[in-house]
Amino acid sequence: MTATVHRLGSRPVPSLDPMIELVAHDMNLVNAVILDRMQSDIPLIPKLAGHLIAGGGKRLRPMLTLASAQLLAYGGARHHRLAAAVEFIHTATLLHDDVVDGSDLRRGRRTANIIWGNPASVLVGDFLFSRSFELMVEDGSLKVLRILSNASAVIAEGEVNQLTAARRIDIGEERYLEIIGAKTAALFAAACRIAGVVAERPDREETALDAYGRNLGIAFQLVDDAIDYVSDAGTMGKDAGDDFREGKMTLPVILAYARGDTEARAFWKDAVEGRRAEDSDFAEAIDRVRETRAVDDTLARARHYGQRAVDALGIFPASAAKDAMVEAVEFAVARAY
Amino acid sequence: MTATVHRLGSRPVPSLDPMIELVAHDMNLVNAVILDRMQSDIPLIPKLAGHLIAGGGKRLRPMLTLASAQLLAYGGARHHRLAAAVEFIHTATLLHDDVVDGSDLRRGRRTANIIWGNPASVLVGDFLFSRSFELMVEDGSLKVLRILSNASAVIAEGEVNQLTAARRIDIGEERYLEIIGAKTAALFAAACRIAGVVAERPDREETALDAYGRNLGIAFQLVDDAIDYVSDAGTMGKDAGDDFREGKMTLPVILAYARGDTEARAFWKDAVEGRRAEDSDFAEAIDRVRETRAVDDTLARARHYGQRAVDALGIFPASAAKDAMVEAVEFAVARAY
């Protein structure tokens, strides 16, 4: 047996394309389920849901379910419905997030709450959330239901945790990792793990898929946080400085604050408390994260989790699916360069 | 066999007390589940959820699950966890409703959204909703999961339907019944029906319980609507005129508008569009609903559904549980007198 050691950084220009191609056929079937099940006799529901669902999202989470199923050479069709359920949970979360954050733009388009109002976004989110459970119930696996209902509760807890940490400069790296582990990584982990359930694989494979998704989710979120402080960003439909101007607590801020002197700490405290939202303030913030290597080290942390994600796949034999899943991690951690 | 014909109005002062006493022991066990499962490491979650859960609600929906189980002489304990799940769905809905309506008072107390803000109410609602599914998954019945996930989707659809009907004077009685059938009656129906599932009763008993709950839910909502236009109301923690001042479309308004002349219709149109929110406007509204018998006939409609609820129980043998469930309907339709 030949050991295959995947080291991050081995591909010069990593891309998500191999994974997109790998799951293209399956994703068409998932999209059909999504379109079918977001319908309702109440016209506002498909209109509002469709705005977000058709709005250029990458469908990364359902893609992970599909890729994981291919990794396990699963030959059935149950994962299509479940991948749609995962995307519905994610979409419901985004709708509620935009209400919670008062966001007006997502992926470069006006948010649903701006177009149709907060009440509609809250209620259509609830509808999609209920629909996701209906899809799972149709599938009929209590194990899948347990994994995804638990992930949903953990996501909601993570969101409340984040809300109570908002604009508090002193939350620290541990609490921050707890928050993103819940609000972002839990669904990545569940999306991968359920493939192991439908393919009826042993626990250790489920656990490995969970670990792959969870670590990828954390890496993904950390890179997202870093991108906000990299001035030529924009590839992910996000503008540099958005998090900063909203006073969001992210790892670059946490590191820059922890490593700064009294004067730097006063600057960051002012920023997260909403008193530093000018362009000149953002320019100063960029200088400060550079000085303290806060972005570089946020990306180093991301690579650490990315490497763990890749290594979690070590128990699976080589395959096109595995290659694509490894490259997806490389892509996730390379985005900010 | 002696037929027992229950006619509404046969009890001089109907009360909810027999049902409360009937389920008192079971309800203590349900309350223990509720208190246990609303906990979280994030302190805001039990604080916010507890405000509403401990806030003097009648727990009518879990009570219906428990009473229905007694009607079927169910001897197990599964319904305690499921009754808690039903209450969590209801609580999540209330938290989101108050955000959607911008309410500041519920049951005479400040709403959670006023105390902790809309974002926290949205997210804690999501948490309770997820927890309700976790409770159902622990129970392990896919049939129960199907009933309650479908009810949740229907509730959300009903809420969106109501939102798109808001401040529209011309929605009509049929659409209004569709809305309350979804947003109120669906959970009443599901709460009763699941008792038939855990007791493993034939379909026709499940269907009967569903019909009891559904008709009771509609009657309950119609009486709630009527109470708003009865000046000495207040028994349900609701003040007369609240709906009117918020321009809510309810059956008294629909009937008064349909039966009114051009001038009356102009008045009601102004009212639901928010241009008639003074005390003198409400006094005028009371006169207008009295003239057109709009409240009387809303209550007559409620009695119609109440009678259907009672008759749905016809297939069950006489018992203390049945008596209490009949009297609960009598109580529901007699509240406004």
Side-chain angles (χ1 to χ4, degrees):
Chain A
M1 188 173 167
T2 315
T4 315
V5 179
H6 290 284
R7 299 285 304 165
L8 285 189
S10 57
R11 286 173 181 75
V13 189
S15 159
L16 205 55
D17 293 345
M19 192 185 271
I20 293 170
E21 283 158 29
L22 181 81
V23 304
H25 172 70
D26 287 324
M27 190 61 89
N28 283 335
L29 298 168
V30 173
N31 286 336
V33 177
I34 288 174
L35 283 174
D36 180 48
R37 302 310 293 275
M38 70 184 212
Q39 296 311 313
S40 161
D41 291 339
I42 316 301
L44 178 56
I45 290 177
K47 202 161 30 164
L48 192 154
H51 174 77
L52 186 53
I53 287 172
K58 297 172 298 302
R59 311 228 168 149
L60 192 51
R61 291 153 192 83
M63 208 188 296
L64 289 172
T65 304
L66 300 176
S68 299
Q70 289 209 26
L71 180 77
L72 305 176
Y74 170 65
R78 287 173 55 193
H79 58 323
H80 299 139
R81 187 142 52 184
L82 294 176
V86 166
E87 185 67 0
F88 277 173
I89 292 175
H90 177 56
T91 307
T93 306
L94 292 185
L95 285 173
H96 288 184
D97 268 3
D98 285 340
V99 170
V100 164
D101 295 344
S103 309
D104 49 13
L105 282 179
R106 176 175 290 279
R107 301 169 191 154
R109 304 174 72 204
R110 290 202 302 153
T111 52
N113 50 305
I114 293 299
I115 302 175
W116 291 284
N118 285 340
S121 284
V122 170
L123 297 175
V124 175
D126 289 350
F127 172 79
L128 292 175
F129 199 55
S130 302
R131 268 288 151 89
S132 81
F133 277 92
E134 288 193 296
L135 285 164
M136 292 177 231
V137 171
E138 284 170 27
D139 173 68
S141 162
L142 281 167
K143 200 167 176 188
V144 167
L145 274 156
R146 187 174 313 116
I147 291 165
L148 285 173
S149 62
N150 179 254
S152 297
V154 167
I155 291 167
E157 274 184 310
E159 300 271 2
V160 178
N161 196 357
Q162 177 172 258
L163 187 69
T164 57
R167 299 200 178 275
R168 284 180 47 190
I169 189 59
D170 58 345
I171 66 158
E173 180 166 353
E174 303 310 313
R175 172 130 181 233
Y176 182 69
L177 287 172
E178 196 181 291
I179 291 171
I180 67 173
K183 82 170 181 109
T184 306
L187 191 56
F188 275 69
C192 295
R193 179 185 275 263
I194 59 175
V197 178
V198 297
E200 298 176 357
R201 289 311 183 98
D203 274 359
R204 67 179 202 118
E205 296 192 17
E206 261 187 49
T207 309
L209 286 169
D210 186 292
Y212 168 81
R214 191 173 306 276
N215 284 297
L216 173 58
I218 295 173
F220 186 86
Q221 183 64 58
L222 289 176
V223 174
D224 236 36
D225 293 348
I227 285 176
D228 199 67
Y229 291 90
V230 176
S231 40
D232 61 349
T235 45
M236 299 308 278
K238 184 174 166 179
D239 292 324
D242 282 356
D243 290 349
F244 176 78
R245 273 178 273 267
E246 291 164 20
K248 271 200 192 158
M249 284 306 301
T250 61
L251 192 56
V253 175
I254 290 167
L255 293 180
Y257 177 79
R259 294 169 178 184
D261 55 18
T262 311
E263 190 250 325
R265 292 186 178 190
F267 170 85
W268 289 111
K269 189 170 190 301
D270 282 349
V272 303
E273 290 175 1
R275 296 183 295 273
R276 290 279 195 174
E278 303 298 319
D279 284 351
S280 60
D281 295 320
F282 182 56
E284 185 176 343
I286 295 265
D287 285 344
R288 289 185 184 278
V289 293
R290 188 169 298 139
E291 269 167 31
T292 52
R293 298 188 49 85
V295 164
D296 290 342
D297 285 350
T298 296
L299 293 169
R301 304 283 210 274
R303 284 193 299 277
H304 158 88
Y305 291 102
Q307 187 65 55
R308 283 169 63 174
V310 168
D311 284 320
L313 297 180
I315 63 167
F316 301 105
S319 69
K322 183 168 171 174
D323 284 346
M325 289 172 79
V326 168
E327 189 162 344
V329 177
E330 303 236 26
F331 168 75
V333 300
R335 282 183 297 149
Y337 299 109
Chain B
M1 188 176 166
T2 314
T4 314
V5 180
H6 290 284
R7 301 284 305 164
L8 285 190
S10 57
R11 285 174 181 74
V13 189
S15 158
L16 205 56
D17 292 345
M19 191 184 273
I20 292 171
E21 282 158 31
L22 182 81
V23 305
H25 172 70
D26 286 323
M27 190 59 92
N28 283 335
L29 298 168
V30 174
N31 286 337
V33 178
I34 288 174
L35 283 173
D36 180 48
R37 302 310 293 273
M38 70 184 213
Q39 296 310 314
S40 161
D41 290 340
I42 316 302
L44 178 57
I45 290 177
K47 203 161 30 166
L48 193 153
H51 174 76
L52 186 53
I53 287 173
K58 297 171 298 301
R59 310 230 167 146
L60 192 51
R61 293 153 191 82
M63 209 189 295
L64 289 171
T65 304
L66 300 177
S68 299
Q70 289 208 26
L71 180 77
L72 306 175
Y74 171 65
R78 288 172 55 194
H79 58 324
H80 299 139
R81 186 141 53 185
L82 294 176
V86 166
E87 184 68 0
F88 277 173
I89 291 176
H90 177 56
T91 308
T93 306
L94 293 185
L95 286 173
H96 288 184
D97 268 3
D98 285 340
V99 170
V100 164
D101 296 342
S103 310
D104 48 13
L105 282 179
R106 178 175 288 280
R107 300 169 191 155
R109 304 174 72 204
R110 290 202 303 154
T111 52
N113 50 305
I114 293 298
I115 302 176
W116 291 284
N118 285 340
S121 284
V122 169
L123 298 174
V124 175
D126 290 351
F127 172 79
L128 291 175
F129 199 55
S130 302
R131 269 289 152 87
S132 81
F133 278 92
E134 288 193 297
L135 284 164
M136 293 176 230
V137 171
E138 284 170 27
D139 173 68
S141 163
L142 281 167
K143 201 167 176 188
V144 167
L145 274 155
R146 188 175 313 117
I147 291 165
L148 285 173
S149 62
N150 180 253
S152 297
V154 168
I155 292 167
E157 275 184 310
E159 301 270 2
V160 178
N161 197 357
Q162 176 171 260
L163 188 69
T164 58
R167 299 199 177 275
R168 285 180 47 190
I169 189 62
D170 58 345
I171 66 159
E173 181 167 354
E174 302 311 312
R175 173 131 181 233
Y176 182 68
L177 286 172
E178 197 181 291
I179 290 170
I180 67 172
K183 83 172 181 106
T184 306
L187 192 56
F188 275 70
C192 296
R193 179 186 273 264
I194 57 175
V197 178
V198 297
E200 296 176 358
R201 290 309 184 99
D203 274 358
R204 67 179 202 119
E205 296 192 16
E206 261 186 48
T207 309
L209 286 170
D210 186 292
Y212 169 81
R214 191 173 306 276
N215 285 297
L216 173 59
I218 295 174
F220 185 86
Q221 183 64 57
L222 290 175
V223 174
D224 236 37
D225 293 348
I227 285 175
D228 200 67
Y229 291 90
V230 177
S231 41
D232 61 350
T235 45
M236 301 306 280
K238 185 175 166 180
D239 292 325
D242 282 355
D243 290 349
F244 176 78
R245 272 178 273 269
E246 290 165 22
K248 270 200 192 158
M249 283 307 301
T250 61
L251 193 55
V253 175
I254 290 167
L255 293 180
Y257 177 79
R259 296 169 177 183
D261 56 17
T262 311
E263 191 250 325
R265 291 187 179 191
F267 170 83
W268 289 111
K269 190 169 190 301
D270 282 350
V272 304
E273 290 175 2
R275 296 183 295 274
R276 291 279 195 173
E278 303 299 319
D279 284 351
S280 59
D281 295 321
F282 182 55
E284 186 176 342
I286 295 266
D287 286 343
R288 289 184 184 279
V289 293
R290 189 170 297 141
E291 270 167 30
T292 53
R293 298 188 49 84
V295 164
D296 289 344
D297 284 352
T298 295
L299 292 170
R301 303 283 208 274
R303 282 194 300 275
H304 159 88
Y305 290 102
Q307 186 65 55
R308 283 169 63 175
V310 168
D311 283 321
L313 296 182
I315 63 167
F316 299 105
S319 69
K322 185 169 170 174
D323 284 346
M325 289 173 79
V326 169
E327 189 162 345
V329 178
E330 302 236 26
F331 168 76
V333 300
R335 281 183 299 147
Y337 299 108

